Amino acid sequence: MSHQSINAERLLTRIRELGAIGRNDQGQLTRLAASATDKLGRDRLVAWLRAAGLEIAVDRIGNIFGVWQSQDNAGQSPLMLGSHIDTVINAGIYDGSYGVLAALEVIETLKEQGFAPVRPIVVAAFTNEEGVRYAPDMLGSLVHGGGLAVEAALATVGTDGTTLGSELACIGYAGTAEPGFLKPHAYVELHIEQGPVLEREATTIGAVENLQGISWQRVTIDGVANHAGTTPMAMRSDAGLAAARVGLFLREHIARSNAPSVATIGTMRFEPDAINVIPSRAVFTIDLRDPDEDRLRALESALSGFLDRLEQEEHVIVSVERLARFEPVSFDGAIVAAIEVSAKARGLKSRRMTSGAGHDAQMIARIAPAAMIFVPSRDGISHNPREHTDPADLVAGANVLLDVAVRLAGSP
Amino acid sequence: MSHQSINAERLLTRIRELGAIGRNDQGQLTRLAASATDKLGRDRLVAWLRAAGLEIAVDRIGNIFGVWQSQDNAGQSPLMLGSHIDTVINAGIYDGSYGVLAALEVIETLKEQGFAPVRPIVVAAFTNEEGVRYAPDMLGSLVHGGGLAVEAALATVGTDGTTLGSELACIGYAGTAEPGFLKPHAYVELHIEQGPVLEREATTIGAVENLQGISWQRVTIDGVANHAGTTPMAMRSDAGLAAARVGLFLREHIARSNAPSVATIGTMRFEPDAINVIPSRAVFTIDLRDPDEDRLRALESALSGFLDRLEQEEHVIVSVERLARFEPVSFDGAIVAAIEVSAKARGLKSRRMTSGAGHDAQMIARIAPAAMIFVPSRDGISHNPREHTDPADLVAGANVLLDVAVRLAGSP
């Protein structure tokens, strides 16, 4: 294990500099995938990659790769380090960008120290991870991992009616490389936690061993609209009250089961949505997550049984539409162990953990051993201008990434 | 008690004829207050009132009166019968119009039969009962009853940005009579029930003895937006789940109290309203009604106590805004008894009941003895093209109104 360290000042300056690109008149940061502001961020990243002496490759879905290879190791499958630089609307500066810029920082550090890796090391910045403009999220890494044909991905129509393919061409990032042309030996992604666990436990490093499965459903409950003043309580089919019971059932069920599952009803709409009319319809979404596939299935099944009972008890009709379903992902045990070893050697408190959010790493895990390193997020906040990680934690995470890169690229 | 009867054919034909006025290309009926279609309806009504030999008066707020008086009774305070002819959007044909046209039918029948009332009998059609275009509802009768100054009422700005005063002038119904110039001896309003009780109990006549008090509040619950995947259930401040508990509390509380109270959460809005974000805010309305003021206050108080507990238990902040508050109205016992006597004499099943909806009668009850007669609504539906009352029930209700008019105007 090497105890060399990255250049903290260079990393932190670049994070701030990239975070200044794509701000509007009110100072809000928004770099939606394949937008004009995304182009500005990409241009800056590519300039940095070039300045570090890396070879640039852009594939057909716009994923950017900065490749450090030598005549000696050019035949080997590369170690890939990366994340994404697109953002949500009114974003923070760390989500995604931190992992990409730390990957670049690790390579520059290793080059400066004369390290000669036995395999190439690649910085990757994947297209449209956030999924705000084009669905699904993690699109670039999904295509890279072979989960979606590039033609289909390029034809994706965004929330603004644009097509991803033409927008990429428009900003000059419709590359020529065939997606997946770089098959990694291993993939490591450094990211802010976007949750409260590390901060709450005063732990600097999360060794992410798996990623939750996700089940998204849209539920429509149909009752009967009626006059709020003249319809006795016992004669109602109130779609709103029936909907209210679903979220409370899920919370109680999870509490009883003592599982780490989470359930969220994030959207809700009533019809006719009038103060003096009993709701005839409630439409809402359910987000269920659990790191264990069997437990996630059991939770889906319990929900389904409850909705059946709800139809009887509330005199309503329930229909369910599946919006998305991802099985949990298990990361590579050897990489997770290397993260823990590095943290220990550097005197950093670490813990194994599950990622509750989706990340590019889950897509690359389809084709290569992969894992993630998390650092704390203040108050667990992300996708928000208040997103913040202490500089010391940012540096610590990058140093762990450095150690893991040395381990994975330093030995045959 | 007279056993003469109204002219069923004439009444039913006029209801259909007025119900054909104000339909759009799709056949939907909409006569919003002081609109061009309301003018067409008003013109037809005034033509019928004139043809029946009544004196027309229009007051400054556009209320229309058709007065039947003689030299002998012109000095007496009049018996007033009426309702309104404005409608909601995409309305049925009975709500309001039935009461106005039945009042006219009663007068024509009495004139034809040579009845000589000891006091004038007046048909009243009040402006803007529905409140769809201008708030509050029951505006014309509120002004007539002295509850709102006519200048303030005329200055009301509608949902379409128009002013009620100028729109009334525009359609030619900004009259000159001072509102309230006719102080009734008594007021009786015949109306469809707009609820399911009479139909369910196979009862033809509702003798409406009171009208529920109404409490409208808007509640805002503030929690904390957080990532749906990374925030453990126990660490959430979920505004949506807190909101869900409010409606269920109200239903359980009312069931336990065994009161006739009703509670409705008809509108609901989440922020940020995203599938994978815990709601930071839920905004919703609560409609509480009870015919007894003490019970309505107790229900408001129980709700307030629950919202206090909710703040503690759900780690949220609750704020409440009062939107409207009307105390319950008690109608005149003698008129209610007269309704029951008439129903019995005609072999019609009747019951005393409470009006859950608001009506012009509650405003006129401020200045005169008042009551209402209800007839069944099929499936309890109103404010809807499917609004329907059987012709036999429409005729039965009008005959009861006839009897009550004879009793109230026939003796000094």
Side-chain angles (χ1 to χ4, degrees):
Chain A
M1 175 66 56
S2 163
H3 279 253
Q4 58 204 344
S5 290
I6 57 100
N7 182 330
E9 184 57 29
R10 184 167 55 194
L11 172 63
L12 298 174
T13 301
R14 281 181 180 156
I15 291 173
R16 283 194 299 270
E17 204 172 328
L18 184 54
I21 296 176
R23 292 191 179 268
N24 67 9
D25 295 345
Q26 287 79 50
Q28 296 175 330
L29 171 63
T30 304
R31 293 196 309 266
L32 297 184
S35 67
T37 52
D38 188 24
K39 172 187 164 50
L40 296 177
R42 287 166 173 263
D43 289 350
R44 179 66 54 94
L45 173 64
V46 168
W48 281 326
L49 296 175
R50 273 194 216 289
L54 307 187
E55 296 168 30
I56 308 298
V58 179
D59 70 13
R60 292 175 60 203
I61 198 64
N63 296 324
I64 297 172
F65 302 97
V67 182
W68 177 31
Q69 61 187 358
S70 62
Q71 284 190 322
D72 292 343
N73 68 21
Q76 302 296 319
S77 61
L79 168 65
M80 188 177 284
L81 313 175
S83 191
H84 63 95
I85 65 165
D86 67 313
T87 75
V88 297
I89 296 167
N90 196 15
I93 68 173
Y94 303 104
D95 180 355
S97 297
Y98 170 49
V100 173
L101 296 177
L104 169 59
E105 180 55 43
V106 162
I107 290 177
E108 290 196 83
T109 298
L110 292 176
K111 287 182 81 169
E112 287 164 2
Q113 298 183 345
F115 181 72
V118 299
R119 56 185 70 257
I121 304 182
V122 176
V123 179
F126 294 106
T127 296
N128 191 56
E129 194 273 347
E130 295 292 2
V132 174
R133 193 176 183 198
Y134 300 98
D137 49 1
M138 300 170 276
L139 186 77
S141 51
L142 178 66
V143 171
H144 188 90
L148 179 65
V150 63
E151 290 77 14
L154 291 170
T156 305
V157 176
T159 52
D160 52 2
T162 59
T163 304
L164 176 55
S166 44
E167 290 293 284
L168 281 171
C170 193
I171 65 166
Y173 282 89
T176 54
E178 211 50 48
F181 77 104
L182 284 174
K183 185 173 179 312
H185 169 75
Y187 176 81
V188 187
E189 182 167 353
L190 173 63
H191 207 283
I192 59 168
E193 182 196 347
Q194 301 182 274
V197 175
L198 291 176
E199 182 191 50
R200 187 185 40 168
E201 300 188 357
T203 298
T204 307
I205 299 297
V208 185
E209 59 182 347
N210 56 6
L211 195 138
Q212 293 188 121
I214 300 181
S215 166
W216 281 1
Q217 301 174 57
R218 181 182 291 122
V219 179
T220 301
I221 297 183
D222 282 304
V224 179
N226 241 321
H227 195 295
T230 58
T231 315
M233 297 301 282
M235 293 179 67
R236 298 177 172 211
S237 299
D238 186 328
L241 280 185
R245 290 182 58 189
V246 179
L248 295 170
F249 164 78
L250 287 167
R251 180 164 71 175
E252 285 160 24
H253 180 82
I254 290 171
R256 271 198 312 273
S257 70
N258 207 24
S261 315
V262 286
T264 306
I265 294 183
T267 76
M268 178 66 69
R269 185 167 54 78
F270 279 10
E271 293 178 15
D273 203 39
I275 185 169
N276 58 350
V277 181
I278 298 161
S280 58
R281 172 171 280 192
V283 183
F284 55 99
T285 53
I286 300 178
D287 175 319
L288 303 178
R289 307 195 193 197
D290 194 291
D292 180 78
E293 176 64 15
D294 289 344
R295 233 168 21 214
L296 185 57
R297 280 198 198 148
L299 182 57
E300 289 177 318
S301 169
L303 170 62
S304 176
F306 178 77
L307 294 177
D308 287 346
R309 295 198 299 282
L310 200 65
E311 285 195 321
Q312 305 304 313
E313 294 172 11
E314 299 285 342
H315 313 292
V316 293
I317 294 170
V318 179
S319 48
V320 176
E321 177 191 359
R322 181 172 290 296
L323 298 179
R325 183 65 161 81
F326 294 109
E327 287 197 11
V329 172
S330 291
F331 287 134
D332 183 74
I335 305 179
V336 174
I339 294 166
E340 290 180 308
V341 166
S342 164
K344 188 166 187 188
R346 289 182 180 272
L348 301 168
K349 193 174 168 194
S350 76
R351 61 163 285 169
R352 293 201 170 210
M353 62 191 303
T354 294
S355 173
H359 292 289
D360 291 312
Q362 81 191 70
M363 299 306 174
I364 307 304
R366 294 163 171 257
I367 55 167
M372 296 187 71
I373 304 163
F374 276 178
V375 294
S377 297
R378 188 171 64 195
D379 298 332
I381 291 170
S382 72
H383 288 181
N384 190 302
R386 290 189 293 142
E387 181 181 279
H388 180 78
T389 297
D390 283 341
D393 292 340
L394 293 170
V395 172
N399 279 326
V400 171
L401 183 66
L402 177 73
D403 296 344
V404 174
V406 168
R407 172 165 299 225
L408 292 171
S411 49
Chain B
M1 175 66 55
S2 162
H3 279 254
Q4 58 204 345
S5 289
I6 58 100
N7 182 330
E9 184 59 27
R10 183 167 56 193
L11 172 62
L12 297 173
T13 300
R14 282 181 181 156
I15 291 173
R16 284 194 299 271
E17 204 172 329
L18 184 55
I21 295 176
R23 292 191 179 269
N24 67 9
D25 295 346
Q26 286 79 51
Q28 295 175 331
L29 170 63
T30 304
R31 291 196 309 268
L32 297 184
S35 68
T37 52
D38 187 25
K39 172 185 164 50
L40 296 176
R42 286 167 174 262
D43 288 351
R44 178 67 53 94
L45 173 64
V46 168
W48 281 326
L49 296 174
R50 274 196 215 288
L54 307 188
E55 297 169 29
I56 308 297
V58 179
D59 68 14
R60 293 175 59 201
I61 198 65
N63 296 323
I64 298 172
F65 302 96
V67 182
W68 176 32
Q69 61 186 358
S70 63
Q71 284 190 318
D72 292 343
N73 67 21
Q76 302 296 319
S77 60
L79 168 66
M80 188 177 285
L81 314 175
S83 191
H84 63 94
I85 66 165
D86 67 313
T87 75
V88 297
I89 296 167
N90 197 16
I93 67 172
Y94 302 104
D95 180 354
S97 298
Y98 170 49
V100 173
L101 296 176
L104 169 60
E105 179 55 41
V106 162
I107 290 177
E108 289 196 84
T109 298
L110 292 175
K111 287 183 83 169
E112 287 164 4
Q113 298 182 344
F115 179 73
V118 299
R119 57 185 69 258
I121 303 182
V122 177
V123 179
F126 294 106
T127 294
N128 192 56
E129 195 273 346
E130 295 292 3
V132 172
R133 194 177 184 200
Y134 300 99
D137 50 0
M138 300 170 275
L139 186 77
S141 50
L142 178 65
V143 172
H144 188 88
L148 178 65
V150 63
E151 288 78 13
L154 290 171
T156 305
V157 176
T159 52
D160 52 1
T162 59
T163 303
L164 176 55
S166 43
E167 289 293 285
L168 281 172
C170 193
I171 65 166
Y173 282 89
T176 54
E178 211 49 48
F181 78 103
L182 285 173
K183 185 174 181 312
H185 170 74
Y187 176 82
V188 187
E189 182 167 354
L190 174 64
H191 206 283
I192 60 168
E193 183 196 347
Q194 300 181 276
V197 175
L198 291 175
E199 181 191 50
R200 186 184 41 166
E201 299 187 0
T203 298
T204 306
I205 299 296
V208 184
E209 57 183 347
N210 55 7
L211 196 137
Q212 293 189 119
I214 300 181
S215 166
W216 280 2
Q217 301 173 56
R218 180 183 292 124
V219 179
T220 301
I221 297 183
D222 283 303
V224 178
N226 241 321
H227 194 293
T230 58
T231 315
M233 297 301 280
M235 293 181 66
R236 298 178 171 211
S237 299
D238 185 328
L241 280 185
R245 290 182 59 190
V246 178
L248 296 169
F249 163 78
L250 287 167
R251 181 165 70 176
E252 285 159 25
H253 180 82
I254 290 170
R256 270 199 312 276
S257 70
N258 207 25
S261 315
V262 286
T264 306
I265 293 183
T267 77
M268 178 67 70
R269 184 166 56 79
F270 280 10
E271 293 178 16
D273 204 38
I275 185 169
N276 58 350
V277 181
I278 298 161
S280 58
R281 173 171 278 190
V283 183
F284 55 99
T285 52
I286 301 178
D287 175 320
L288 304 178
R289 306 196 194 197
D290 195 291
D292 180 78
E293 175 64 15
D294 289 342
R295 233 166 24 214
L296 184 57
R297 281 198 197 147
L299 182 57
E300 290 176 318
S301 169
L303 170 62
S304 175
F306 178 76
L307 294 177
D308 287 345
R309 295 198 299 281
L310 201 64
E311 286 196 321
Q312 304 305 314
E313 293 172 13
E314 298 286 341
H315 312 293
V316 293
I317 294 170
V318 179
S319 47
V320 176
E321 177 190 358
R322 181 173 290 296
L323 298 178
R325 184 65 163 79
F326 294 108
E327 288 198 12
V329 173
S330 289
F331 288 134
D332 183 76
I335 304 179
V336 174
I339 295 166
E340 290 180 307
V341 167
S342 162
K344 187 166 188 187
R346 288 182 181 272
L348 301 168
K349 192 173 168 195
S350 76
R351 60 163 285 169
R352 294 200 168 211
M353 64 191 301
T354 294
S355 173
H359 292 289
D360 290 311
Q362 80 191 72
M363 298 306 173
I364 307 304
R366 294 164 171 258
I367 54 167
M372 297 188 71
I373 304 163
F374 276 178
V375 295
S377 296
R378 186 169 66 194
D379 297 333
I381 290 170
S382 72
H383 288 181
N384 191 303
R386 289 189 292 142
E387 181 181 278
H388 180 78
T389 297
D390 282 343
D393 292 339
L394 293 169
V395 172
N399 278 326
V400 170
L401 183 66
L402 176 73
D403 295 344
V404 173
V406 167
R407 171 165 299 228
L408 291 171
S411 48

